[in-house]
Amino acid sequence: MTILCVRFQLPPMYEAALPGLLGLLEEFTPVVEALPPDGALADLRGAERYFGRDAVALAAVIRVRALARFGVDCVIGAGPGPMLARVALGDARPGAPCAAPAEPAAAAEFLAHRPVTALPGAGRATARTLGEYGLDTLGLVAAAPLPTLQRLIGAKAGRELRDRANGVDRGRVVPGAVERSLLAERPFDRDELDPGRHRAALLSAAGELGARLRALGKVCRALTLTVRYADRSATVRGRTLAEPTAHSAALTGTAYALYEALGLQRARVRALVLRAEGLGGAEHASHQLTFDPVDEKVRRIEEVADRARARFGPRAVIPGTLAA
């Protein structure tokens, strides 16, 4: 086993602890990839040789250090590659890591009884399409003829899914991925039922993300909304933007759309977390020009507001809704 998938059991509204926990993993290996909001992948090939222990033994050390330094427990899956480590995580428990086998035939058997959605990246739509033809487990997908899968879900997707269902894991850990996202968290003083206050929190969070992206000269390609409830459960929804942007109005509109799509009815919300993902340089981003003078005016006002905030503080210019 060389790859660990770690999920930290962070309390609600404690997502800010993740960078410190990633630093803990980096004491063992520099090859650490963040899986926001509460996880990470770590490639321990060098660490196994250096410490003279296998990845499962090192997992126990990582758990003890996380508890001692941060008071945070974790569950850990191990595997020969990132995909199998993430699948193994589903069977892990605190203090009892789960390891996927490295031998291809054994890995395929390890996956066989699991649903299609157990594979990272295989969503409900793919599982629903395959399920209509009786392919509801990875064992059945692995045994299905390749042309059949390609007709159902596409040539490339069918080939990749069949390989992964057979235990073929070609993924790798990409270090530094934590820098590919920014988050803004809005906790409430009490469990909040009012949709108006939910929307105000989203407006504030989207404005903060937009300002931070513009200050860094970045744009984001996707937005993810996490809603944390009073019973400690959470709902996560994401959406790819029409174009990479750091424009606060566009981010706010997408955040509202994600929230409305949840159809919350009297939900007791404890916190809202908005995450900008897929960051890239603003100089390489394109913007669809329009004949709407209002859009250009809003963007110019945004530039002026950024300069005012830089000089007089973050609350120098805020939306009227938030000022009220």
Side-chain angles (χ1 to χ4, degrees):
M1 302 300 103
T2 58
I3 308 297
L4 292 185
C5 183
V6 185
R7 177 172 296 150
F8 298 103
Q9 297 184 331
L10 295 176
M13 300 172 290
Y14 199 53
E15 219 174 308
L18 184 59
L21 292 165
L22 295 179
L24 185 155
L25 294 176
E26 289 169 351
E27 295 175 6
F28 295 85
T29 172
V31 189
V32 176
E33 177 179 352
L35 298 177
D38 57 3
L41 290 168
D43 188 334
L44 297 184
R45 279 177 291 187
E48 288 178 318
R49 293 191 295 270
Y50 181 83
F51 291 100
R53 301 184 182 184
D54 63 16
V56 175
L58 291 174
V61 180
I62 290 169
R63 177 176 180 252
V64 170
R65 293 191 181 184
L67 283 167
R69 297 184 189 177
F70 299 92
V72 173
D73 206 345
C74 60
V75 291
I76 301 177
M83 179 199 75
L84 288 168
R86 294 176 72 171
V87 173
L89 180 70
D91 291 342
R93 298 293 179 268
C98 176
E103 202 275 325
E109 185 177 349
F110 175 77
L111 296 171
H113 68 282
R114 302 173 190 274
V116 174
T117 51
L119 285 181
R124 295 180 181 177
T126 298
R128 185 166 54 248
T129 299
L130 295 173
E132 291 174 354
Y133 292 87
L135 302 175
D136 56 355
T137 66
L138 292 174
L140 294 172
V141 170
L146 179 59
T148 299
L149 293 176
Q150 291 179 321
R151 282 198 301 270
L152 293 176
I153 61 175
K156 182 179 179 181
R159 186 183 311 109
E160 290 181 352
L161 183 63
R162 189 170 185 270
D163 286 347
R164 294 164 71 193
N166 278 289
V168 178
D169 189 351
R170 300 189 181 93
R172 63 188 183 90
V173 180
V174 182
V178 68
E179 298 174 358
R180 296 183 181 180
S181 67
L182 291 176
L183 71 86
E185 186 170 0
R186 292 297 181 268
F188 295 106
D189 296 333
R190 55 183 174 80
D191 298 335
E192 186 57 62
L193 295 167
D194 183 6
R197 293 202 65 190
H198 297 166
R199 290 174 66 87
L202 291 174
L203 174 63
S204 171
E208 177 190 327
L209 286 179
R212 290 168 63 189
L213 287 168
R214 294 190 296 275
L216 294 170
K218 301 285 187 180
V219 293
C220 69
R221 294 177 174 82
L223 209 59
T224 299
L225 171 64
T226 302
V227 183
R228 301 193 185 280
Y229 305 105
D231 62 358
R232 295 180 177 268
S233 64
T235 302
V236 182
R237 293 290 185 273
R239 182 169 297 185
T240 301
L241 300 170
E243 62 182 21
T245 187
H247 186 31
S248 293
L251 297 176
T252 301
T254 303
Y256 285 167
L258 288 168
Y259 173 79
E260 296 297 339
L262 292 175
L264 300 180
Q265 299 291 330
R266 301 287 294 171
R268 297 170 60 201
V269 176
R270 184 160 293 180
L272 295 168
V273 182
L274 204 59
R275 182 183 298 278
E277 298 183 321
L279 304 193
E283 67 276 9
H284 302 302
S286 59
H287 167 55
Q288 179 64 49
L289 298 177
T290 71
F291 293 103
D292 183 5
V294 174
D295 179 71
E296 185 63 28
K297 182 178 180 181
V298 169
R299 291 177 183 271
R300 290 182 179 179
I301 292 173
E302 196 171 65
E303 293 175 4
V304 174
D306 285 343
R307 291 197 293 269
R309 294 188 191 102
R311 182 172 182 180
F312 301 108
R315 293 189 60 82
V317 181
I318 59 175
T321 302
L322 301 180

